[in-house]
Amino acid sequence: MKQTTIAPVIIFAYNRLSPLKKMVESLQRNTESLLTDVFIFIDGPKKESDIFSVNEVKGYVKNIKGFKSLDISISSINKGLSKSIISGLNQVFQ
């Protein structure tokens, strides 16, 4: 039987828990989710008012199941979207 190579899924998150949950639930419904490696990158809070929502996202991702593997990277500082994406992609491609 031929083994299928599944591309990893890379998710960049910040402070929007509801859209993140919807996306993860959609990915979990995929028939190949148990064969999929998932990488999640969470940027640090930009301002004090973001701390609570960023912490909600952090708490949620730690309990995600249904994938081959889950690699979570949490930044303690706010890198900004472009730097987060560049560093995250470099990390996955290495």
Side-chain angles (χ1 to χ4, degrees):
M1 182 175 175
K2 182 182 174 191
Q3 173 122 7
T4 303
T5 301
I6 306 293
V9 172
I10 304 170
I11 300 170
F12 295 92
Y14 180 54
N15 66 354
R16 297 175 59 210
L17 181 59
S18 181
L20 176 63
K21 281 184 177 181
K22 288 178 184 176
M23 182 180 56
V24 169
E25 290 166 1
S26 178
L27 290 168
Q28 288 168 327
R29 287 191 297 270
N30 186 306
T31 57
E32 295 176 334
S33 66
L34 292 174
L35 303 172
T36 304
D37 296 309
V38 175
F39 296 84
I40 301 178
F41 295 90
I42 303 171
D43 204 2
K46 184 184 246 183
K47 53 189 181 225
E48 182 120 359
S49 60
D50 293 330
I51 293 172
F52 178 78
S53 54
V54 170
N55 285 340
E56 281 186 317
V57 168
K58 289 180 194 178
Y60 170 72
V61 299
K62 292 177 183 176
N63 296 304
I64 293 174
K65 306 279 187 251
F67 299 102
K68 179 180 175 184
S69 69
L70 183 66
D71 185 286
I72 302 167
S73 295
I74 299 173
S75 178
S76 59
I77 60 165
N78 185 274
K79 298 177 185 178
L81 183 59
S82 63
K83 286 183 181 177
S84 292
I85 290 173
I86 292 167
S87 66
L89 291 174
N90 283 334
Q91 183 177 327
V92 172
F93 290 140
Q94 286 178 358

